[in-house]
Amino acid sequence: MKGDRVEIMIDAGGEGTRTYEVAATRAGRRVEIATRRGVIEVSEVTRTGSPVRTARFMASRVLALVEYPIADGEGPGEHAPVLAPG
């Protein structure tokens, strides 16, 4: 659903951590997550299931994977508050 997004935090080795985000950018698209053979794959897919954009990460490097589904009645920019690590 448009507005859904997934945030992925990975261990970048000596560089610390990096954060990536995959979001459903158009109406009718959604974000899917799959784990296969030690790889986490996050894809934005169309209604028919064809991937538009895909991000792949080694599962051993992923520190956090956070899903932000859009709640009923909220617009794409009006996500529920998120607590940051502190």
Side-chain angles (χ1 to χ4, degrees), residues 2-42:
K2 181 177 179 178
D4 288 350
R5 64 189 176 104
V6 175
E7 188 176 353
I8 306 102
M9 181 183 289
I10 64 160
D11 177 16
E15 300 175 21
T17 61
R18 287 191 183 179
T19 303
Y20 297 91
E21 185 176 292
V22 176
T25 56
R26 289 188 172 183
R29 292 191 180 168
R30 63 187 185 277
V31 179
E32 291 185 351
I33 302 167
T35 305
R36 298 182 185 108
R37 294 185 176 195
V39 175
I40 295 176
E41 187 175 279
V42 182

Side-chain angles (χ1 to χ4, degrees), residues 39-80:
V39 175
I40 295 176
E41 187 175 279
V42 182
S43 301
E44 177 185 1
V45 296
T46 62
R47 291 178 186 174
T48 61
S50 10
V52 176
R53 203 174 353 172
T54 301
R56 291 185 184 99
F57 305 95
M58 290 175 30
S60 61
R61 293 285 186 174
V62 174
L63 300 174
L65 191 137
V66 183
E67 296 181 67
Y68 297 101
I70 192 156
D72 293 335
E74 290 184 1
E78 304 169 8
H79 295 285

